Amino acid sequence: MKMSKLFVQTLREFPSDAEVISHKMLARAGYIRKLTSGVYNYLPLMWRVLKKVENIVREEMDRAGAQELLMPFVQPKELWEESGRWDVYGKELMRMKDRHDRIMCLGPTHEEVITSIARDGLKSYKQLPVNLYQIQSKFRDEVRPRYGLLRGREFIMKDAYSFDIDEAGLDKEYENMARAYKRIFERCGLDTKMVQSDSGAIGGSVSHEFMVITDTDAGENDVFYCNDCDYSANSNHAISKLPPAVVDGKDYFNETKVIDTPNTHSIEELSKFLNIPDTLILKTLVYIVDKKPVLALIRADKAVEETKLMNAAGGIDIRIASSAEIAELMTEKGFDAVPGFIGPKGMDGIKIIADETVKDMKNFVVGINETDKHLVGANISDLNLPSDVQYTDIRLVQAGELCPQCGKPLFVTKGIEVGNIFKLGTKYSKPMNAVYLDKNGKSHPYVMGCYGIGISRTAAAAVEAHYDEHGIKWPISIAPYHVVIVPVNIQDELQMKTAEKMYEELLKAGVEVVLDDRDERAGVKFKDADLIGFPYRVTVGKTITEGLVEYKTRATGEVETVTPETAVEHLIEIVKNIK
Ligand code: ATP
Ligand code: MG
């Protein structure tokens, strides 16, 4: 490809709406162009990168025994009613009507469609196991599309679905996919951590995510991990052991009584006023889960993990209540307390979920829905709570708490989820009556797994992992081109002839090469080369009169002076060895 013909326009500045590196770089280097919120054009350079990621994914999925197919992007409502997800999927599902008033949606994922395909085609145990996958655009009307390709509304995904006769088969395929994923991300030049995670809207019991670890904002997930053993988990799923703490207030309170605690609106103010550690305060938080209030009880030095709370409440949507909603709830229950003094007592009819560590608290302090008052020296039995209070883990792990496996301190880091694997079990096959017949002619629902990789997110994550202040440093396996040849002065006959000869030789040998034949200053060409992120740059300048060119490796910045023949040989060898 000649640079003069390459469809690319680099920008002087980063676009003003870009917050993270990959979005800034990909937009400025001319890879993507926004069409509308969360929807991007993949321009020729980007498309080359995406196709490379896709091909790596395809090769490894095929190698792992999966078969590729392609399902429709538009799906009928009826199928989603069969699985029971039409009513629970939420606003991310883009719903629409066709000209005959039939209700459809844009595919955010394809469990329903694949299960309907399997149901029609996989009738006997003899046909199982099967793993089917596709690579396709998905649409999710995300609440907050942001960070360019990392969280788009339309994005490209590889989604695979496995069908087995039993759990043991699923376990085996799950391991097989985990190994394939490891190879895929390694080949894409990405270091990933496989972490335990929550199963979310897709459902199922066991799931893992593949995270690209980063210290930037682009990592939307907090990952807790142990350095002494292999434990690692997304914050929405992480658990920990707590170091010892004062959870019995017997040294502070010798009777149970209501006392005045004026102006103690925060935990800090309250613990200061009473001169007690915050581990002796039972905090009550009001959340709205699927439009209904839920009270969360937790030791005041800890925070609630919202996904855990939402799952415990059996909901699909959660947010903290506004002060108006809290006021409304107080009125409804006949109280007039302001936030800071809310408590679980007298809240019958409202769902109450307590963190399991609350059970260990004794002689503690708790709000009683009276402004400027608290109950001290209290125990759970003093609160007359309804019998259906749930005690479960709703606690957000904090760094420094102890590993649930080995007891050593946990660390936290940010991660970008590039892929995930789920054990679905019979979550879809059962309601959709997707069954096979066993040896004895008895029918059973398939035991399913599903396995996703964000193709476009993986490409963007690679930029987050490989860049410097000058631009992108693509891993060679997914770079749009392998090398750029830059003649410093295109009017110079020897420079141009040498550059063109190398270009022809490389092309012939299957190296993906760009010849920067533009009549521009060398500085401009170098800047563009760094920004676009070609893994190698060969510069043909004045030293060509001595038979030498400059050979630069983008990843390391290393520069060598070699003959054109050596440069060509090197490059052919490198490209031959791309995994
Ligand atoms: P997230 O928690 O980041 O929203 P998810 O759990 O919804 O992801 P899945 O539904 O399992 O993800 O989708 C599989 C893969 O698709 C994810 O691992 C991710 O790489 C990619 N993906 C999901 N949502 C988006 C998005 N909005 N933009 C780009 N890629 C996405
Ligand atoms: Mg999502």
Side-chain angles (χ1 to χ4, degrees), residues 295-339:
L295 294 191
L297 309 185
I298 191 153
R299 215 171 85 182
D301 62 320
K302 299 295 163 197
V304 168
E305 208 298 315
E306 295 190 357
T307 305
K308 289 183 182 176
L309 178 64
M310 179 177 82
N311 291 343
I316 53 157
D317 180 59
I318 187 166
R319 59 182 174 80
I320 192 101
S322 66
S323 32
E325 284 163 332
I326 295 177
E328 198 179 311
L329 178 65
M330 286 292 106
T331 313
E332 189 190 314
K333 295 287 161 199
F335 302 121
D336 67 353
V338 298

Side-chain angles (χ1 to χ4, degrees), residues 503-516:
Y503 176 70
E504 293 301 336
E505 286 171 4
L506 289 170
L507 270 187
K508 219 186 283 161
V511 175
E512 298 169 15
V513 52
V514 171
L515 173 64
D516 196 344

Side-chain angles (χ1 to χ4, degrees), residues 96-309:
M96 62 201 185
K97 254 187 204 167
D98 71 9
R99 66 202 297 163
H100 305 293
D101 280 347
R102 284 185 293 235
I103 304 175
M104 327 280 275
C105 65
L106 299 183
T109 175
H110 279 69
E111 282 79 8
E112 282 77 4
V113 180
I114 199 81
T115 306
S116 77
I117 292 175
R119 176 169 67 185
D120 295 340
L122 299 172
K123 310 250 186 203
S124 157
Y125 72 97
K126 287 184 196 151
Q127 296 168 283
L128 298 172
V130 170
N131 187 334
L132 300 169
Y133 77 97
Q134 65 173 347
I135 297 175
Q136 188 199 40
S137 288
K138 296 281 187 262
F139 194 94
R140 294 182 184 176
D141 200 359
E142 299 271 357
V143 212
R144 272 205 295 171
R146 56 178 181 169
Y147 299 164
L149 301 192
L150 287 174
R151 185 166 296 283
R153 293 199 296 163
E154 184 177 313
F155 56 96
I156 304 175
M157 197 204 287
K158 183 283 297 178
D159 44 328
Y161 307 87
S162 66
F163 301 87
D164 272 278
I165 56 168
D166 57 16
E167 292 285 339
L170 169 60
D171 291 351
K172 212 166 128 200
E173 186 57 13
Y174 193 80
E175 294 303 320
N176 182 34
M177 284 293 108
R179 282 192 299 274
Y181 273 38
K182 195 163 172 282
R183 282 196 299 270
I184 286 169
F185 294 121
E186 265 170 25
R187 286 184 61 188
C188 290
L190 287 170
D191 222 356
T192 52
K193 222 181 198 4
M194 176 171 148
V195 314
Q196 298 176 14
S197 71
D198 171 63
S199 307
I202 292 194
S205 49
V206 174
S207 68
H208 286 86
E209 292 166 341
F210 286 75
M211 294 281 186
V212 172
I213 300 305
T214 167
D215 51 8
T216 70
D217 285 347
E220 292 186 294
N221 302 273
D222 284 327
V223 175
F224 288 92
Y225 65 97
C226 178
N227 270 338
D228 288 83
C229 73
D230 64 355
Y231 182 76
S232 60
N234 190 319
S235 57
N236 62 23
H237 197 76
I239 51 174
S240 66
K241 291 184 198 155
L242 291 181
V246 182
V247 291
D248 186 346
K250 62 182 186 319
D251 295 342
Y252 298 89
F253 310 108
N254 47 24
E255 59 176 321
T256 310
K257 62 176 177 189
V258 175
I259 61 166
D260 289 332
T261 54
N263 296 317
T264 54
H265 296 272
S266 68
I267 295 297
E268 205 189 337
E269 286 164 340
L270 182 61
S271 64
K272 216 171 188 176
F273 179 85
L274 293 171
N275 199 18
I276 54 165
D278 52 5
T279 48
L280 288 179
I281 301 171
L282 178 64
K283 183 164 66 173
T284 306
L285 295 152
V286 186
Y287 282 88
I288 306 292
V289 178
D290 296 358
K291 306 201 172 107
K292 288 208 196 91
V294 170
L295 294 191
L297 309 185
I298 191 153
R299 215 171 85 182
D301 62 320
K302 299 295 163 197
V304 168
E305 208 298 315
E306 295 190 357
T307 305
K308 289 183 182 176
L309 178 64

